[in-house]
Amino acid sequence: MHLSLFSCAALLASHPYLAASLGVPKQPIEERGEHQNKHLRPVFEKRETAQFANGQPIDGTGKGAPFSGGTNRELDIQNPDNLGRQPTDNGVVVNLKWAFSDSKTRLLNGGWTRTQVVTDLPPSKDIAAAQQHLKKGASRELHWHRVAEWGYVYAGRLRISAVDEDGKNQIDILNVGDIWYFPKGVGHTIQGLEEENEYLLTFDDGAFETTGTTFNLDDWLTHTPKDILAKSFGVNASVFDKLPVTDPYIFPGNISTQSPVSPVGKLEGNSSYVYKLSEKPKPLVPGGGGTLSIVDSRNFPIAKTIASAIVTLKPGALRELHWHPNADEWLYFVKGTAKATAFIGSATARTFDFRAGDTAVFPDNSGHYVENTGKDELVWIEIYKSDRAVDISLTQWLALSPPDVVANTLKVDIEFVRNLKKIKQVIV
């Protein structure tokens, strides 16, 4: 049988041991002709890597595939845990996160406002919130609410004034980090003192924007007959000829320097509506890694329906695994980046990614943590519809339970349990 030159080459290529016995030099793989079948040469494929950081739902183990249709790549990169990064996530957990950047901003003469209410974040039935900005001299007009208001200054300085049902008043200046609380029904106003001033507001009802929640002074008087106004105030009706037809909400003005003195006294001490957190030291926690400042009815007695905590975490630090037995936890992230997993029972959990301007809610008694995932300090505010901010530490609970029971439950070495810290670490 006579073989062609091509047939001989193919035979030798398919039988390397025959080629070697005949003294034919081994042909490098990269020099072989493209006509060869790929199964005749070894293939070394590059191992797939996870693509969550690039905004793609690919886990690096063969699961997932790239997006081929419409998607917001920037949001996908900011929220890698929405792409399935955590294999411990399971079941269906409703969205527990809302970004103020997704809220409609209302522009006004002298500032702006934007809100987060229950229709934005349905699980947040207890707490609604708003960001407001005031130019220098601008005021949030005189008003009151059927719900309590809690505020926190994070830029500039503010001047607040309020009067209670007994006629006692308070006019005070708040700096960055300071807090106020107005009980439901208390008339008040807020004025900006620096060129730019901004603050967070929270309210103890998620349905804050429903009719009958906020009562603005101009709005009320405009819709009251002038003869009734004149009779009530004891003046001529012409005094009210220039009442604003449209509720201004926020309006420009000059910084007020007047402070009327009430004949029945001031709101101070346990009755004060202001807590000067900026003047308090930041308390370190046993676990290190950050600070936790609790402001509730125990140190701010007037705040009977909204308790709070201001938390800072160093890069890489963790707010330890815990839960809150008495209320939902509503959060506002002031700065930094974070991730948190909410465990809501029945093998159901979901991980979320956060950055400055985000809000969130963890249902009461749901287990969770918060981890600083950035290179800078992480700061957030916790709000509870309660008179106290309380939590139960997972580590402390296990450390103070019978160690043999814990070890048998978790199938871990009993020495691990015996070495758990009995003092709540808070941040590690």
Side-chain angles (χ1 to χ4, degrees):
M1 180 175 63
H2 298 283
L3 297 175
S4 66
L5 182 60
F6 175 80
S7 299
C8 290
L11 180 63
L12 292 173
S14 62
H15 295 79
Y17 295 106
L18 175 61
S21 66
L22 296 175
V24 178
K26 187 175 181 180
Q27 186 180 13
I29 291 176
E30 63 271 17
E31 295 178 3
R32 294 176 186 171
E34 290 297 321
H35 61 272
Q36 281 189 271
N37 294 327
K38 292 182 179 180
H39 72 274
L40 297 179
R41 53 181 172 172
V43 178
F44 300 98
E45 293 185 0
K46 184 178 179 182
R47 183 177 175 83
E48 190 179 54
T49 58
Q51 296 296 314
F52 302 118
N54 297 321
Q56 296 292 351
I58 300 171
D59 73 353
T61 68
K63 293 182 179 179
F67 288 119
S68 299
T71 190
N72 187 322
R73 189 166 184 272
E74 185 175 347
L75 284 181
D76 292 333
I77 291 173
Q78 290 179 8
N79 298 277
D81 288 304
N82 273 351
L83 304 177
R85 181 169 67 172
Q86 303 300 332
T88 49
D89 285 1
N90 190 59
V92 178
V93 178
V94 299
N95 184 41
L96 302 177
K97 169 185 172 180
W98 177 265
F100 268 121
S101 294
D102 289 326
S103 297
K104 174 69 174 178
T105 303
R106 181 183 177 188
L107 303 182
L108 300 148
N109 290 323
W112 55 259
T113 186
R114 58 185 183 181
T115 60
Q116 177 253 290
V117 294
V118 70
T119 50
D120 300 316
L121 186 59
S124 186
K125 296 178 174 61
D126 287 348
I127 302 295
Q131 287 178 310
Q132 285 186 358
H133 189 105
L134 298 177
K135 304 286 288 184
K136 187 174 185 177
S139 294
R140 170 67 178 94
E141 71 165 298
L142 290 154
H143 65 286
W144 72 96
H145 307 289
R146 68 163 178 82
V147 297
E149 173 183 309
W150 181 100
Y152 177 88
V153 185
Y154 58 81
R157 287 188 309 136
L158 301 175
R159 190 175 196 249
I160 63 98
S161 69
V163 181
D164 76 355
E165 68 274 16
D166 296 321
K168 292 182 179 180
N169 71 336
Q170 183 169 11
I171 299 173
D172 214 332
I173 293 176
L174 287 78
N175 296 300
V176 170
D178 289 340
I179 292 169
W180 72 86
Y181 175 92
F182 297 135
K184 63 180 295 184
V186 169
H188 59 276
T189 187
I190 307 167
Q191 185 174 51
L193 301 181
E194 301 294 343
E195 292 300 323
E196 309 294 344
N197 310 273
E198 203 164 304
Y199 48 94
L200 173 74
L201 297 173
T202 66
F203 308 93
D204 59 2
D205 187 343
F208 174 73
E209 288 195 329
T210 57
T211 299
T213 299
T214 298
F215 305 86
N216 294 313
L217 175 63
D218 291 343
D219 189 24
W220 184 21
L221 299 193
T222 299
H223 294 92
T224 302
K226 285 187 179 180
D227 63 316
I228 298 299
L229 294 178
K231 191 172 184 179
S232 182
F233 286 108
V235 296
N236 190 283
S238 62
V239 169
F240 305 103
D241 285 346
K242 295 183 179 180
L243 279 177
V245 176
T246 303
D247 171 28
Y249 200 85
I250 290 174
F251 56 87
N254 298 316
I255 293 176
S256 174
T257 58
Q258 301 180 28
S259 300
V261 177
S262 170
V264 296
K266 298 189 297 184
L267 290 162
E268 54 188 357
N270 288 347
S271 298
S272 175
Y273 292 154
V274 173
Y275 187 84
K276 298 289 185 73
L277 183 61
S278 66
E279 299 175 2
K280 312 289 184 183
K282 289 184 178 181
L284 298 175
V285 295
T291 65
L292 177 71
S293 300
I294 293 177
V295 181
D296 61 18
S297 61
R298 290 169 289 188
N299 55 5
F300 190 23
I302 199 69
K304 293 181 172 61
T305 65
I306 298 179
S308 63
I310 290 78
V311 190
T312 67
L313 260 65
K314 296 177 183 178
L318 179 78
R319 174 70 175 92
E320 68 171 334
L321 289 157
H322 66 284
W323 69 93
H324 304 282
N326 61 332
D328 292 351
E329 176 184 352
W330 184 92
L331 306 90
Y332 168 72
F333 289 88
V334 180
K335 68 175 183 177
T337 58
K339 76 173 181 181
T341 301
F343 167 68
I344 62 172
S346 301
T348 306
R350 180 177 172 183
T351 304
F352 296 87
D353 302 285
F354 300 103
R355 59 185 55 235
D358 287 345
T359 70
V361 61
F362 297 139
D364 69 284
N365 284 283
S366 62
H368 58 278
Y369 65 88
V370 179
E371 182 183 31
N372 185 347
T373 58
K375 297 180 180 179
D376 301 315
E377 183 181 62
L378 173 69
V379 181
W380 78 88
I381 295 170
E382 301 173 357
I383 298 292
Y384 308 90
K385 186 176 181 178
S386 175
D387 62 336
R388 295 181 304 139
V390 297
D391 72 280
I392 296 177
S393 161
L394 173 60
T395 299
Q396 186 181 51
W397 175 45
L398 299 182
L400 297 174
S401 298
D404 55 336
V405 174
V406 175
N408 191 38
T409 301
L410 298 179
K411 307 306 178 191
V412 296
D413 192 289
I414 196 168
E415 288 306 310
F416 159 75
V417 183
R418 287 171 176 160
N419 289 327
L420 291 174
K421 292 180 171 58
K422 295 180 174 64
I423 300 298
K424 189 183 295 186
Q425 299 299 291
V426 185
I427 299 169
V428 295

